[in-house]
Amino acid sequence: MIKLENVKKVFPAKNGNVTAVNNVNLHVKKGEIHGVIGYSGAGKSTLIRLINLLEKPDSGKVLINGTDLTTLSPENLRQTRQKVGMIFQHFNLMKTATVYDNVAIPLKLLGYDKQEVEKRVEKYLKIVELSDKHHSYPSQLSGGQKQRVAIARALSQEPDVLLSDEATSALDPETTNSILDLLLKINKELGITILLITHEMSVIQKICDYVYVLEKGEIIEQGSSIDLFTNPDRPTTKKFLDTISQRKLSTSLVEQLKLEGTVTRLTFIGENTGQPLLAQVSQKFGVVPNILTANIMELKNGIIGNLVVHLVGEQDKINASLQFLNDQGVRTEEVEGE
Amino acid sequence: MEEFIQEWLPIIGQAVVETFQMVGISLFFSILIGIPLGILIVLTRPGEALENKVVYQILNLLINIVRSIPFIILLFFILPFTKLLVGTTIGVKGVIVPLVVYTAPYIARLMETSLLEVDKGIIEAYRAMGIKTRQIIWHVMLREARPGIILGLTIATIGLIGATAMAGLVGAGGLGDLAYRFGHLRYEVDVMYATVFILIILVQGIQSLGNRIAAKLKKE
């Protein structure tokens, strides 16, 4: 559906060129939700603008439905853009137009007849649950409602793809959740493929099937959400995970605990709750597990449990119990203090 | 009082009409030239849709030059141009040309300011939707800039009223001319007061009207 092949974008600057996006490859399959996460300045905004060519890549291919957008004439590009919806961090609604007009004006400008415009505005304002706000102006709406209008505006052109540029970053957590639910709904019910960029791991956690971690313009790690959440490799990815779960323990605490036994992180995927396994460990091996931290993360495609335990006992017994846990499908990792 | 009114009403009335004529006609032509000029200077700016360094720099320079010259000097400075354009350099007709030359660049600058205030994000959103640049200018930029444009035109109109006061120098009449000829040269203080009073009312009225329309368009 969306494919980037070796895409590169360089911005000229006074003290040397800045490579905003470097050799990025990305493939969003039809009907999926993919997320790009990165810190400010990682190149996320440039990356998403390369997909509808608001930024022209210096090299590489941008394919949507198999068409390379970089080869299109301005007129054909304009046509293609109509099938690629976009929503923004700051909503980008016209202040001087009502909710109805904010959705209707682009349709009119694109040449749809009056009845079709009316039909679509009604339909999509209903989908975003703003049917009662037709005559309100953006200044009378909350942030979440403004984003809903922007989503209705994007949907009204019945796009195949929706690009979301930090769409929830200006919203409070509760409103963020309601907008994410809406995105899930339109993905599921309208079959729209979504690519979003964000700096919030919770957004990825809630709605993404697949994740790319962007740093200094390059994708440094990628994988399905479940894989990335259970088995992060790069420090940046781990840091993002730390923002949504208590993963860190202080060095002094870990060192103190390690005077006796080991400190281990156990990761369970799916139904495996963990508690019976730990009970078995103490029964079978005579190792005493002490739970230091525990949490459960609900991802779009599954549940991940995370435990940090202090195992006290003879070293060979500890090793045997770790082996046992591994055999039961639990990932184990020795914890270093950070 | 009654005597004063009887004696001066026709003369002041005539002056008011002349002022309205001058302001009305020159405002019309100034808007006709100033608004497209303002749009052009915004669109040719670096990074905008019709980016063109040469056109942008020339327009900038031209507007700055004209805006540097005080109206009273401009009035005489462009006499040959006025003669060429309308065939005369005196009367209401003769003063319209310098008034337009004076006001149009001013309106262009005010236009530029209000257009630049339009949220770039909205324009980006419309580009992303595949809408034509021409339509974005007309239906997005101009629409969103309307409150600012109205306030700008209000300021320009008031400036124009001030400039017409000097029109008496080329025999175009008007309120300013009345105050100068009768009030100052003939020491008819009452006429001076009456004129100033009318001007204050006029400016107040225009500003309030402008503010009201702008507020209505702003929807905030």
Side-chain angles (χ1 to χ4, degrees):
Chain A
M1 199 80 198
I2 306 174
K3 219 171 181 179
L4 295 184
E5 288 180 5
N6 300 315
V7 168
K8 188 171 182 173
K9 176 73 187 177
V10 179
F11 290 111
K14 269 179 194 162
N15 33 5
N17 291 344
V18 178
T19 307
V21 170
N22 198 7
N23 265 327
V24 164
N25 289 284
L26 167 159
H27 183 195
V28 187
K29 292 192 194 83
K30 191 171 164 48
E32 293 193 348
I33 303 180
H34 287 207
V36 177
I37 190 163
Y39 291 112
S40 314
K44 302 187 299 282
S45 287
T46 308
L47 179 63
I48 203 159
R49 278 165 180 71
L50 285 165
I51 291 162
N52 54 6
L53 247 67
L54 285 174
E55 295 286 357
K56 275 204 159 67
D58 293 305
S59 63
K61 283 182 183 174
V62 179
L63 298 148
I64 290 184
N65 279 334
T67 316
D68 185 357
L69 265 55
T70 59
T71 61
L72 294 180
S73 69
E75 181 57 30
N76 285 336
L77 175 62
R78 227 171 45 68
Q79 302 284 350
T80 310
R81 276 180 178 165
Q82 293 173 24
K83 289 289 154 204
V84 182
M86 189 166 185
I87 54 174
F88 304 85
Q89 181 174 3
H90 298 295
F91 327 122
N92 297 347
L93 301 174
M94 283 214 269
K95 294 182 195 72
T96 61
T98 59
V99 165
Y100 185 95
D101 282 340
N102 260 298
V103 183
I105 288 171
L107 290 173
K108 284 183 199 157
L109 295 180
L110 290 171
Y112 292 100
D113 67 44
K114 215 179 150 200
Q115 282 174 329
E116 182 67 17
V117 171
E118 261 173 47
K119 206 181 92 190
R120 287 197 185 189
V121 178
E122 301 272 346
K123 179 179 171 189
Y124 290 103
L125 282 178
K126 195 171 171 203
I127 288 180
V128 301
E129 293 162 22
L130 284 180
S131 291
D132 56 334
K133 297 282 181 197
H134 280 196
H135 304 294
S136 304
Y137 285 93
S139 59
Q140 300 163 323
L141 302 178
S142 68
Q145 289 172 326
K146 284 183 205 173
Q147 195 60 285
R148 283 168 187 272
V149 179
I151 291 172
R153 178 176 69 182
L155 293 183
S156 70
Q157 286 166 49
E158 306 190 336
D160 306 321
V161 172
L162 183 68
L163 305 176
S164 163
D165 177 12
E166 301 264 11
T168 57
S169 298
L171 304 174
D172 61 59
E174 200 180 323
T175 314
T176 294
N177 271 333
S178 79
I179 293 294
L180 294 179
D181 283 335
L182 178 60
L183 291 179
L184 273 176
K185 179 173 130 184
I186 62 177
N187 167 254
K188 215 169 161 186
E189 290 175 13
L190 305 173
I192 294 174
T193 308
I194 299 176
L195 177 66
L196 59 87
I197 61 166
T198 183
H199 63 262
E200 295 167 308
M201 205 59 183
S202 56
V203 171
I204 304 278
Q205 179 191 347
K206 182 148 185 182
I207 70 168
C208 289
D209 299 297
Y210 199 89
V211 198
Y212 308 85
V213 181
L214 194 71
E215 191 173 52
K216 292 178 183 149
E218 291 181 39
I219 290 176
I220 55 162
E221 188 167 357
Q222 60 175 295
S224 74
S225 299
I226 296 261
D227 285 349
L228 207 91
F229 275 72
T230 50
N231 197 5
D233 178 34
R234 305 293 292 261
T236 306
T237 314
K238 288 181 181 168
K239 265 194 218 166
F240 274 119
L241 281 171
D242 289 340
T243 61
I244 50 167
S245 64
Q246 170 66 39
R247 291 169 52 91
K248 273 189 203 170
L249 291 173
S250 71
T251 312
S252 58
L253 176 64
V254 173
E255 274 171 5
Q256 197 195 334
L257 290 168
K258 278 186 173 176
L259 293 175
E260 196 187 351
T262 64
V263 179
T264 306
R265 165 170 291 121
L266 309 176
T267 309
F268 305 85
I269 303 170
E271 313 294 296
N272 244 340
T273 53
Q275 285 301 1
L277 286 177
L278 285 182
Q280 286 177 36
V281 162
S282 72
Q283 281 175 3
K284 277 192 178 173
F285 304 98
V287 170
V288 183
N290 178 25
I291 299 174
L292 302 172
T293 72
N295 67 61
I296 282 187
M297 280 188 287
E298 286 185 74
L299 268 65
K300 188 189 175 197
N301 301 323
I303 299 169
I304 298 171
N306 234 309
L307 285 181
V308 177
V309 291
H310 184 207
L311 299 172
V312 184
E314 289 168 36
Q315 192 56 46
D316 57 335
K317 299 280 187 196
I318 290 175
N319 290 345
S321 47
L322 289 178
Q323 187 57 49
F324 167 74
L325 287 167
N326 277 334
D327 293 343
Q328 302 296 316
V330 177
R331 228 177 69 83
T332 59
E333 178 193 6
E334 185 165 344
V335 174
E336 309 288 338
E338 283 180 59
Chain B
M1 185 69 186
E2 211 166 288
E3 208 176 297
F4 175 81
I5 290 175
Q6 271 198 346
E7 189 186 348
W8 289 102
L9 191 62
I11 299 174
I12 293 178
Q14 170 72 19
V16 170
V17 170
E18 285 163 353
T19 296
F20 270 84
Q21 268 183 344
M22 282 187 283
V23 172
I25 301 171
S26 21
L27 187 64
F28 175 75
F29 286 107
S30 302
I31 289 175
L32 218 60
I33 299 167
I35 288 189
L37 204 62
I39 296 173
L40 196 62
I41 201 160
V42 169
L43 290 182
T44 53
R45 278 174 87 87
E48 296 291 338
L50 304 174
E51 179 172 350
N52 187 323
K53 226 174 182 169
V54 180
V55 175
Y56 175 70
Q57 297 288 9
I58 290 177
L59 285 179
N60 231 340
L61 188 69
L62 205 71
I63 290 173
N64 282 346
I65 290 174
V66 178
R67 300 250 307 116
S68 313
I69 308 170
F71 182 66
I72 191 113
I73 300 172
L74 189 79
L75 188 61
F76 297 112
F77 187 67
I78 63 164
L79 276 179
F81 177 68
T82 307
K83 176 105 184 165
L84 185 79
L85 218 61
V86 292
T88 178
T89 58
I90 55 166
V92 170
K93 216 173 165 185
V95 85
I96 295 294
V97 177
L99 280 175
V100 171
V101 171
Y102 179 68
T103 310
Y106 190 33
I107 290 182
R109 273 281 181 254
L110 292 166
M111 272 297 291
E112 183 189 14
T113 316
S114 24
L115 285 174
L116 286 177
E117 271 169 23
V118 175
D119 187 352
K120 292 273 177 295
I122 300 174
I123 297 165
E124 186 179 49
Y126 274 72
R127 276 180 63 211
M129 285 187 272
I131 289 165
K132 294 185 180 116
T133 305
R134 184 167 44 84
Q135 291 178 319
I136 294 178
I137 296 166
W138 197 251
H139 296 275
V140 180
M141 287 177 77
L142 280 177
R143 183 194 171 106
E144 285 287 288
R146 279 185 319 197
I149 293 173
I150 294 294
L151 286 179
L153 290 181
T154 309
I155 296 171
T157 309
I158 291 169
L160 198 53
I161 293 174
T164 61
M166 287 163 247
L169 293 168
V170 292
L175 281 168
D177 177 51
L178 188 76
Y180 177 70
R181 276 194 296 134
F182 292 89
H184 180 65
L185 296 181
R186 289 214 228 152
Y187 299 110
E188 302 261 13
V189 189
D190 295 346
V191 179
M192 178 80 93
Y193 288 152
T195 322
V196 169
F197 181 71
I198 293 171
L199 283 170
I200 291 172
I201 298 290
L202 203 61
V203 169
Q204 285 287 349
I206 291 170
Q207 188 65 56
S208 310
L209 185 70
N211 288 348
R212 203 171 291 177
I213 298 175
K216 206 163 181 190
L217 290 172
K218 209 166 182 184
K219 314 286 186 195
E220 273 177 7

